[in-house]
């Protein structure tokens, strides 16, 4: 795994978070199923792998459709909590 400094990671995340979906070309986005992450690694390392392997960790394709994720700044919820709520709402 390539090692990034905290500053490099922060810069990439900030730059990627602020990308407008209307400015994104479908052919320039990673297909989520093509991103391979070693599930045997601890969750922190898997997250870093995902950030490093994707062009933009906030925008990717799912079955050819653009998806942009974002998270609330609410400190009471974790990313897992947010994703669980999304899935619960989708499969009601």
């Amino acid at each position: 795994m390539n090692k990034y400094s905290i500053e490099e990671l922060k810069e990439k995340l900030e730059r990627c978070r602020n990308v407008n979906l209307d400015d994104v070309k479908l052919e320039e986005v990673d297909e989520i199923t093509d991103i391979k992450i070693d599930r045997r690694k601890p969750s922190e390392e898997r997250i870093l792998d995902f950030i490093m392997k994707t062009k933009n960790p906030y925008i990717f394709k799912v079955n050819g459709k653009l998806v942009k994720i974002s998270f609330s700044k609410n400190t009471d919820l974790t990313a897992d909590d947010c994703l669980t709520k999304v899935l619960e709402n989708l499969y009601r």
Side-chain angles (χ1 to χ4, degrees):
M1 172 169 90
N2 294 332
K3 298 293 180 188
Y4 285 104
S5 73
I6 293 295
E7 288 307 312
E8 287 174 309
L9 287 170
K10 284 181 180 179
E11 186 275 327
K12 180 178 183 177
L13 289 173
E14 188 63 33
R15 179 176 32 83
C16 292
R17 178 178 29 248
N18 294 321
V19 170
N20 185 331
L21 198 56
D22 293 332
D23 298 332
V24 174
K25 294 179 183 174
L26 187 63
E27 62 274 4
E28 295 176 358
V29 178
D30 297 302
E31 174 69 41
I32 195 75
T33 57
D34 294 339
I35 301 166
K36 304 300 180 208
I37 305 295
D38 186 349
R39 293 177 184 241
R40 296 172 293 190
K41 291 182 178 182
S43 63
E44 293 84 4
E45 286 185 43
R46 292 193 314 261
I47 291 168
L48 289 173
D49 273 355
F50 181 78
I51 292 169
M52 291 187 279
K53 288 181 178 182
T54 58
K55 295 171 190 157
N56 184 329
Y58 294 98
I59 299 175
F60 46 86
K61 290 185 281 193
V62 177
N63 296 325
K65 303 267 191 234
L66 279 178
V67 175
K68 181 174 182 178
I69 61 170
S70 61
F71 299 96
S72 168
K73 294 188 187 245
N74 182 339
T75 58
D76 296 336
L77 296 174
T78 66
D80 284 339
D81 294 336
C82 293
L83 291 172
T84 299
K85 284 183 180 233
V86 168
L87 292 172
E88 287 171 349
N89 288 332
L90 285 174
Y91 294 102
R92 282 187 186 178

